[in-house]
Structure formats: structure tokens, C-alpha cells
Amino acid sequence: MSFDSPNPPGQFPQVRMRRLRRSDWMRRLVREHQLTANDLIWPIFLQDGTSTSTPVASMPGVERLTVDRVADAVAKAAELGIPAVALFPATDPARKTPDGDEALNAENLVCRAVRAVKAAKIDIGVICDVALDPYTTHGQDGLVRDGYVVNDETLEMLGQQAVVQAAAGCDVIAPSDMMDGRVAAVRKALDAAGFQHVAILAYAAKYASAYYGPFRDAVGSKKSLGQGDKRTYQMDPANGDEALREVALDIAEGADLVMVKPGQPYLDIVHRVKSTFGVPTFAYQVSGEYAMIAAAAANGWIDRDAVMLESLLAFKRAGADGILTYFAVDVARLLRANP
Ligand code: PBG
């Protein structure tokens, strides 16, 4: 048949894409990506006190938990098949200092929570952030000297913070501070302290994003940060190629897993990172992304469950191996009810 034919092969009407969408069984048969509980990491906020769960106003459905409630929450996540949780402390402002020394206190909130989870012998991974912002009076992720977040002096502390968290039982250290050289510094400090088996999940391409607002409410760093911003170390949202350089450096420095953050507005970066490096690539559906979905759903403007699932499936399609999401428990429950 010639290509001048009025009905060239490989085109309509011989080809009808809708044949593959006609029925549920066919759609399931040709589905390219699937979201499962194994893809989820659940971020949990911690607070001081006992037997208390405090709702986070800007994240409807999310609560800060006291340490005595963490093990139960984590056990529930494990039972739902969620492979890992990430713990974030809302530090008592009285414990914050300009240099964030509380980060190195083995009795700090996050270390106590890690020990509580480990003591409960729950089969789940525990991830802890390495960065000073929960502990500094100025809310920056590093040490500030003459108004500038200094790099090399901060590295020293981050290494020590990682060791303190590993000693508490943390399985994965996640440097979220965006200092140069921090992955190598953390790896070196962990190895020197005998923590060769503790993995590093690098927030490799972390952008200076306005989507972190509700998180800073949740951990109480917004007031500390005030009018400040993190643009001298977190990435410019305008840049894509730069993310690949950041990821390449972190892999070379010893990152086991890499992360892109925020998530949905940066899925192009997730796709480029995964297709360029082929390493385990995670993405963080951050607090602002959660808040937007939760708020629209609360107004009845979107279907919460449907948008939640669609948003996370998009991460998988972009190439993410896993997603940090505040929806983790809800999703795992939903997937269990409707696999
Ligand atoms: C701390 C940190 C932040 C988030 C994770 N770790 C905030 C920030 O960098 O200001 C944001 C997570 C979220 O918004 O859900 N370095």
C-alpha cells in the first residue's frame, strides 16, 4: 500500500487508541505504572510533652506527636506496609541557640523518638534530617557568621549531628541543608564512628521554595526565620541543569539515595535525574503541596482521595522510586481497601 492511500496503515481508522481504554480489565492490563505502599515514606512531626497530638493548622489532617505516641503511629504505618518514616522535631524555642547546639544533644526530641521506635522493634526504616534549622534561633540550616550561612564550619556540625542520630538508631541520614560537601562530610563522620551501614539519602536537588511554608509552621522554624530566606544555599527554582550537577556531586560524595524537593512542580527534575543517573531517586511531596490539596478538598472543590492518588502516581510516572508524602498513611489504607 502506498502512503498516498486514503487510509494509510498505522493511522485512524485502523488505529483506535480507545480500544485500550474500553474496559476496566483492559485499562489494568496496559497500565504502565502503579503506586503501592512500598513507594511511600511518611514524614512525622514531633513535639515535647506526653500523650498529646497537636493538629498543624496549615496542614489539615496532620498532627505533631509526643514521643510516647510515636511508636504506635509508626507501628500502624509498618502494618500498612510503609517501608520508612522520616522524623522532624518541633524544638522547644527555649532550646534554640544561634549555633543550634541542641542538634548534638543525644537526648533531643528526635533522638528520643528514634529510640522509642527502635525499642518497639518495628520493622521499618527510620530517616532523620541533618540540618540545623530545627535548632537555630535564626532558623537557618547552618551556622551564621556576619549574616552569611557559612559552609565549612557548618559541615563539622552536620557530621556530628549525623553521628548522634545514628547512635540513637537512625537507619538513614538525610542531609537537607544544601551545604557544599556535606554528603562527604557526613559519610566520613559516620564511617569514623563505626556506622558504615547507615545510609545517606541526600536532598540533592533542594530548591529555595515557597512550598515549605506549612512545614515551617509545623516545626516552628517560620518565626525563627522571620524575613530571612535560604536562597544562598538552596537552589534557584529557575534552574534544571544545575540540579544534575548537584546530584552528580552527591553521588560522587557517597549518597546512596538522592532526592528532589519539592515534588510535583519539579517532576521534570525527577525525570532528568532518574534517566541520567539511574540511582534510587526519591521526591518529596512537600507541605505546601499537601496543604493545597487538603484545602481544596476541604472546600469540596476537588476529590481528596482521587487527587491524592493521581498526584502520587505522577511521581511514579516521572521516575521516582519513592515519595515522601504526608498522605502516606491515608494512601496505604486506601490501597489496602482497593488494591
Ligand atoms: C529542613 C527541611 C525543610 C523541609 C524538610 N527539611 C524546610 C526548609 O528547608 O526550610 C521541608 C519539608 C516540607 O515542606 O514538607 N531543612
Side-chain angles (χ1 to χ4, degrees), residues 43 45 59 88 129-134 139-141 174-178 203 206-216 219 221 225 230 233-234 259 261-262 284-290 324 326:
F45 296 119
M59 301 177 73
F88 294 99
D129 254 38
V130 155
L132 301 183
D133 57 319
Q140 297 289 355
D141 292 17
S176 72
D177 53 282
M178 289 299 279
Y203 284 73
K206 177 171 177 180
Y207 287 85
S209 172
Y211 285 87
Y212 307 149
F215 174 96
R216 293 176 189 168
V219 301
S221 62
L225 197 58
K230 301 190 176 184
Y233 47 104
Q234 297 181 346
M259 192 204 300
K261 176 185 174 195
Y284 200 142
Q285 182 179 54
V286 300
S287 55
E289 298 175 62
Y290 174 91
L324 288 92
Y326 301 97

Coordinates of all heavy atoms in Angstrom, one line a residue, residues 43 45 59 88 129-134 139-141 174-178 203 206-216 219 221 225 230 233-234 259 261-262 284-290 324 326, ligand 1:
P43 N 6.5 11.3 56.6 CA 7.1 12.3 57.5 C 6.2 12.5 58.7 O 5.0 12.7 58.6 CB 7.2 13.6 56.6 CG 6.7 13.2 55.2 CD 5.9 12.0 55.4
F45 N 5.9 14.7 62.4 CA 6.3 15.8 63.3 C 6.3 15.4 64.7 O 5.3 14.8 65.2 CB 5.4 17.0 63.0 CG 5.5 17.6 61.6 CD1 4.4 17.6 60.8 CD2 6.7 18.0 61.1 CE1 4.5 18.1 59.5 CE2 6.9 18.5 59.8 CZ 5.7 18.5 59.0
M59 N -1.9 22.3 57.8 CA -1.8 21.0 57.2 C -3.0 20.2 57.7 O -2.7 19.2 58.5 CB -0.5 20.3 57.4 CG 0.7 21.1 56.9 SD 2.3 20.4 57.2 CE 2.2 19.0 56.1
F88 N 10.7 14.6 62.2 CA 11.0 16.0 62.2 C 10.6 16.6 63.5 O 9.4 16.7 63.9 CB 10.3 16.8 61.1 CG 10.7 16.3 59.7 CD1 10.0 15.4 59.0 CD2 11.9 16.9 59.2 CE1 10.4 15.0 57.7 CE2 12.3 16.5 57.9 CZ 11.6 15.6 57.2
D129 N 16.5 13.9 59.3 CA 17.2 15.1 58.6 C 18.4 15.5 59.3 O 18.5 15.4 60.5 CB 16.2 16.3 58.6 CG 15.5 16.6 57.3 OD1 15.2 15.6 56.6 OD2 15.4 17.8 57.0
V130 N 19.4 15.8 58.5 CA 20.6 16.5 59.0 C 20.5 17.9 58.5 O 20.5 18.2 57.3 CB 21.9 15.8 58.6 CG1 23.1 16.7 58.7 CG2 22.1 14.6 59.6
A131 N 20.4 18.9 59.4 CA 20.4 20.3 59.1 C 20.1 21.0 60.4 O 19.6 20.4 61.4 CB 19.2 20.7 58.1
L132 N 20.5 22.2 60.6 CA 20.4 22.9 61.9 C 19.2 23.7 62.1 O 18.9 24.1 63.2 CB 21.7 23.8 62.1 CG 23.0 23.1 62.0 CD1 24.2 24.1 62.3 CD2 23.1 21.9 63.0
D133 N 18.3 23.8 61.1 CA 17.2 24.7 61.2 C 16.2 24.4 62.4 O 15.6 25.4 62.9 CB 16.5 24.9 59.9 CG 15.9 23.6 59.3 OD1 16.7 22.6 59.3 OD2 14.8 23.6 58.8
P134 N 16.0 23.2 62.8 CA 15.1 23.0 63.9 C 15.7 23.5 65.2 O 15.0 23.7 66.2 CB 15.0 21.5 64.0 CG 15.5 20.9 62.8 CD 16.5 21.9 62.3
G139 N 16.8 30.2 62.5 CA 16.0 29.3 61.5 C 16.8 28.9 60.3 O 16.2 28.3 59.4
Q140 N 18.0 29.3 60.2 CA 18.8 28.8 59.0 C 19.4 27.4 59.2 O 19.5 27.0 60.4 CB 20.0 29.8 58.8 CG 19.6 31.2 58.4 CD 18.9 31.3 57.0 OE1 18.9 30.4 56.3 NE2 18.4 32.5 56.7
D141 N 19.7 26.7 58.1 CA 20.1 25.4 58.2 C 21.6 25.2 58.7 O 22.1 24.1 58.9 CB 20.0 24.7 56.8 CG 18.5 24.5 56.5 OD1 17.7 25.2 57.1 OD2 18.2 23.7 55.6
A174 N 19.5 11.9 56.3 CA 19.1 12.7 55.1 C 19.6 14.2 55.3 O 18.9 15.0 55.8 CB 17.6 12.6 55.0
P175 N 20.7 14.5 54.7 CA 21.2 15.9 54.8 C 20.3 16.7 53.9 O 20.1 16.5 52.7 CB 22.6 15.8 54.2 CG 23.0 14.4 54.1 CD 21.7 13.6 54.0
S176 N 19.6 17.7 54.6 CA 18.7 18.6 53.9 C 19.1 20.0 53.8 O 18.4 20.9 53.5 CB 17.3 18.5 54.6 OG 17.3 19.2 55.8
D177 N 20.4 20.2 54.1 CA 20.9 21.6 54.4 C 21.5 22.3 53.1 O 21.6 23.5 53.1 CB 22.0 21.5 55.4 CG 23.0 20.5 54.9 OD1 22.8 19.3 55.1 OD2 24.1 20.9 54.4
M178 N 21.8 21.5 52.1 CA 22.4 22.1 50.9 C 23.7 22.8 51.0 O 24.1 23.7 50.2 CB 21.4 23.0 50.1 CG 20.2 22.2 49.5 SD 20.7 21.0 48.2 CE 20.9 22.1 46.8
Y203 N 19.2 15.1 50.1 CA 18.3 16.1 49.5 C 19.2 16.8 48.5 O 19.7 17.9 48.7 CB 17.8 17.1 50.5 CG 16.8 16.7 51.5 CD1 17.1 15.9 52.6 CD2 15.5 17.2 51.4 CE1 16.1 15.6 53.5 CE2 14.5 16.9 52.3 CZ 14.8 16.1 53.4 OH 13.9 15.8 54.3
K206 N 17.5 20.4 46.1 CA 16.5 21.0 47.0 C 16.5 22.5 46.7 O 17.5 23.2 46.8 CB 16.9 20.8 48.5 CG 15.9 21.5 49.4 CD 16.2 21.1 50.9 CE 15.3 21.8 51.8 NZ 15.5 21.5 53.2
Y207 N 15.3 22.9 46.3 CA 15.1 24.3 45.8 C 14.7 25.2 47.0 O 14.0 24.8 47.9 CB 14.0 24.3 44.7 CG 14.5 23.7 43.5 CD1 14.5 22.3 43.2 CD2 15.1 24.5 42.5 CE1 15.0 21.8 42.1 CE2 15.6 24.0 41.3 CZ 15.6 22.6 41.1 OH 16.1 22.1 39.9
A208 N 15.0 26.5 46.8 CA 14.6 27.6 47.7 C 13.1 27.8 47.4 O 12.8 28.7 46.6 CB 15.4 28.8 47.6
S209 N 12.2 27.1 48.0 CA 10.8 27.0 47.6 C 9.9 27.7 48.6 O 10.0 27.6 49.8 CB 10.4 25.6 47.4 OG 9.0 25.5 47.1
A210 N 8.8 28.3 48.0 CA 7.8 28.9 48.9 C 6.8 27.8 49.3 O 5.9 28.0 50.1 CB 7.0 29.9 48.1
Y211 N 7.0 26.6 48.8 CA 6.1 25.5 49.2 C 6.4 24.9 50.5 O 5.7 24.0 51.0 CB 6.2 24.3 48.1 CG 5.5 24.6 46.8 CD1 6.1 25.3 45.8 CD2 4.2 24.1 46.6 CE1 5.5 25.5 44.6 CE2 3.5 24.4 45.4 CZ 4.2 25.0 44.4 OH 3.5 25.2 43.2
Y212 N 7.5 25.4 51.2 CA 7.8 24.8 52.5 C 7.1 25.5 53.7 O 7.3 25.2 54.8 CB 9.3 24.9 52.8 CG 10.2 24.3 51.7 CD1 11.5 24.8 51.5 CD2 9.8 23.2 51.0 CE1 12.3 24.3 50.5 CE2 10.6 22.7 50.0 CZ 11.9 23.2 49.8 OH 12.7 22.7 48.8
G213 N 6.3 26.5 53.4 CA 5.7 27.3 54.4 C 5.0 26.5 55.5 O 5.3 26.7 56.7
P214 N 4.1 25.6 55.2 CA 3.4 24.9 56.3 C 4.3 24.0 57.1 O 4.1 23.9 58.3 CB 2.4 24.0 55.5 CG 2.1 24.7 54.2 CD 3.5 25.4 53.9
F215 N 5.4 23.5 56.5 CA 6.4 22.7 57.3 C 7.0 23.6 58.3 O 7.2 23.2 59.5 CB 7.4 22.2 56.3 CG 8.6 21.5 57.0 CD1 8.6 20.1 57.1 CD2 9.7 22.2 57.5 CE1 9.7 19.4 57.7 CE2 10.8 21.5 58.1 CZ 10.8 20.2 58.2
R216 N 7.3 24.8 57.9 CA 8.0 25.7 58.9 C 7.0 26.1 60.0 O 7.5 26.4 61.1 CB 8.6 26.9 58.2 CG 9.7 26.5 57.2 CD 10.3 27.7 56.4 NE 11.2 27.2 55.4 CZ 11.7 27.9 54.4 NH1 11.3 29.2 54.3 NH2 12.5 27.4 53.5
V219 N 7.1 22.8 62.4 CA 8.3 22.6 63.3 C 8.7 23.9 64.0 O 9.6 23.9 64.8 CB 9.5 22.0 62.5 CG1 9.1 20.7 61.9 CG2 10.0 23.0 61.5
S221 N 9.9 26.7 62.8 CA 11.1 27.5 62.3 C 10.7 28.7 61.5 O 11.5 29.6 61.2 CB 12.0 26.6 61.5 OG 11.3 26.2 60.3
L225 N 12.9 32.1 61.3 CA 13.4 32.6 60.0 C 13.0 34.0 59.7 O 13.7 34.8 59.1 CB 13.0 31.6 58.9 CG 13.7 31.7 57.6 CD1 15.2 31.4 57.8 CD2 13.1 30.6 56.6
K230 N 16.4 31.2 52.2 CA 17.5 30.3 52.2 C 18.2 30.2 50.8 O 18.7 29.2 50.4 CB 17.0 28.9 52.6 CG 16.4 28.8 54.0 CD 16.1 27.4 54.5 CE 15.6 27.5 55.9 NZ 15.3 26.1 56.4
Y233 N 21.8 29.1 49.7 CA 22.3 27.7 49.7 C 21.3 26.8 49.0 O 21.7 25.9 48.3 CB 22.7 27.2 51.0 CG 21.8 27.4 52.2 CD1 20.9 26.4 52.7 CD2 21.7 28.7 52.8 CE1 20.1 26.7 53.8 CE2 20.9 28.9 53.9 CZ 20.1 27.9 54.4 OH 19.3 28.2 55.5
Q234 N 20.0 27.0 49.1 CA 19.0 26.1 48.4 C 19.0 26.6 46.9 O 19.3 27.8 46.6 CB 17.6 26.2 49.0 CG 17.6 25.6 50.4 CD 16.3 25.7 51.1 OE1 15.4 26.3 50.7 NE2 16.2 24.9 52.2
M259 N 17.4 12.7 46.4 CA 16.0 13.2 46.4 C 15.9 14.6 45.7 O 16.9 15.3 45.7 CB 15.6 13.4 47.9 CG 14.1 13.7 48.1 SD 13.8 14.6 49.6 CE 14.5 13.5 50.9
K261 N 13.3 18.0 45.6 CA 12.3 18.6 46.5 C 12.2 20.1 46.2 O 13.2 20.7 46.0 CB 12.9 18.4 47.9 CG 12.0 19.1 49.0 CD 12.7 18.9 50.3 CE 11.9 19.7 51.3 NZ 12.6 20.0 52.5
P262 N 11.0 20.6 46.1 CA 9.7 19.9 46.2 C 9.4 18.9 45.1 O 10.3 18.6 44.3 CB 8.7 21.1 46.0 CG 9.4 22.3 46.4 CD 10.8 22.0 45.9
Y284 N 10.0 14.6 47.2 CA 9.3 15.0 48.5 C 8.0 15.8 48.0 O 8.2 16.9 47.5 CB 10.2 15.8 49.3 CG 9.8 15.9 50.8 CD1 10.8 15.9 51.8 CD2 8.5 16.1 51.2 CE1 10.5 16.0 53.1 CE2 8.2 16.2 52.6 CZ 9.2 16.2 53.5 OH 8.9 16.3 54.9
Q285 N 6.9 15.2 48.3 CA 5.6 16.0 48.1 C 5.5 16.8 49.4 O 5.1 16.3 50.4 CB 4.4 15.1 47.9 CG 3.1 15.8 47.7 CD 1.9 14.9 47.5 OE1 1.7 14.0 48.4 NE2 1.2 15.0 46.4
V286 N 6.0 18.1 49.3 CA 6.2 18.9 50.5 C 4.9 19.4 51.0 O 3.8 19.3 50.5 CB 7.2 20.0 50.2 CG1 8.6 19.4 49.8 CG2 6.7 21.0 49.2
S287 N 5.1 20.1 52.2 CA 4.0 20.6 53.0 C 3.0 21.4 52.2 O 1.8 21.3 52.3 CB 4.5 21.3 54.2 OG 5.4 22.4 53.8
G288 N 3.5 22.3 51.4 CA 2.7 23.2 50.6 C 1.8 22.5 49.6 O 0.7 22.8 49.3
E289 N 2.4 21.4 49.0 CA 1.7 20.6 48.0 C 0.5 19.9 48.8 O -0.6 19.9 48.3 CB 2.6 19.6 47.4 CG 3.7 20.2 46.6 CD 4.7 19.1 46.1 OE1 4.2 18.2 45.3 OE2 5.9 19.1 46.5
Y290 N 0.9 19.4 50.0 CA -0.2 18.7 50.8 C -1.3 19.7 51.1 O -2.5 19.4 51.0 CB 0.5 18.2 52.0 CG -0.6 17.6 53.0 CD1 -0.9 16.2 52.9 CD2 -1.2 18.4 54.0 CE1 -1.9 15.7 53.8 CE2 -2.1 17.9 54.8 CZ -2.5 16.5 54.7 OH -3.4 16.0 55.6
L324 N 8.2 10.9 49.6 CA 7.9 11.3 50.9 C 6.6 12.1 50.8 O 6.5 13.1 50.1 CB 9.0 12.2 51.5 CG 10.3 11.6 51.9 CD1 11.2 11.6 50.7 CD2 10.9 12.2 53.1
Y326 N 2.9 13.4 53.2 CA 2.1 13.4 54.4 C 0.8 12.6 54.2 O 0.1 12.4 55.2 CB 1.8 14.9 54.7 CG 3.0 15.7 55.0 CD1 3.6 16.4 53.9 CD2 3.7 15.6 56.2 CE1 4.8 17.1 54.1 CE2 4.9 16.2 56.4 CZ 5.5 17.0 55.3 OH 6.7 17.7 55.5
Ligands
PBG1 C1 14.8 21.4 56.9 C2 13.7 20.9 56.0 C3 12.6 21.6 55.3 C4 11.8 20.7 54.8 C5 12.3 19.4 55.1 N1 13.5 19.6 55.8 C6 12.3 23.1 55.3 C7 13.3 24.0 54.8 O1 14.3 23.7 54.2 O2 13.0 25.2 55.1 C8 10.5 21.0 54.1 C9 9.5 19.9 54.0 C10 8.1 20.3 53.7 O3 7.8 21.5 53.3 O4 7.2 19.4 53.7 N2 16.0 21.8 56.3

